Amino acid sequence: LRAYPMAIRLTFLAFLLHAVPMSWQSALEHRFAGSTPLLQSFVLALLIWVVVQASGTELAPFIYFQF
């Protein structure tokens, strides 16, 4: 659990988002679609940064060569 704290947080957040009412999701989509392109670009850059941070820096070994 200590090795991937960001990935664990993102997974927990994803589970919580499943409990959000559809009306909230729809309202957020309409609000985001009506926002400025600058804000949309910022949100996209933030999401890309979070994904890169959660991915880690180590490459996993190809396990099929170990058999």
Side-chain angles (χ1 to χ4, degrees):
L1 292 176
R2 293 180 188 174
Y4 301 104
M6 182 68 122
I8 293 170
R9 287 186 205 124
L10 288 175
T11 303
F12 184 70
L13 178 65
F15 283 128
L16 287 178
L17 288 176
H18 283 284
V20 173
M22 290 299 290
S23 60
W24 291 11
Q25 181 181 355
S26 184
L28 184 61
E29 286 176 6
H30 289 306
R31 197 166 171 192
F32 181 73
S35 65
T36 64
L38 182 62
L39 179 62
Q40 290 178 1
S41 300
F42 176 75
V43 171
L44 177 63
L46 181 66
L47 286 174
I48 291 171
W49 179 79
V50 167
V51 168
V52 167
Q53 294 301 314
S55 67
T57 58
E58 298 177 13
L59 289 176
F62 190 64
I63 63 168
Y64 295 109
F65 291 145
Q66 297 177 3
F67 293 112

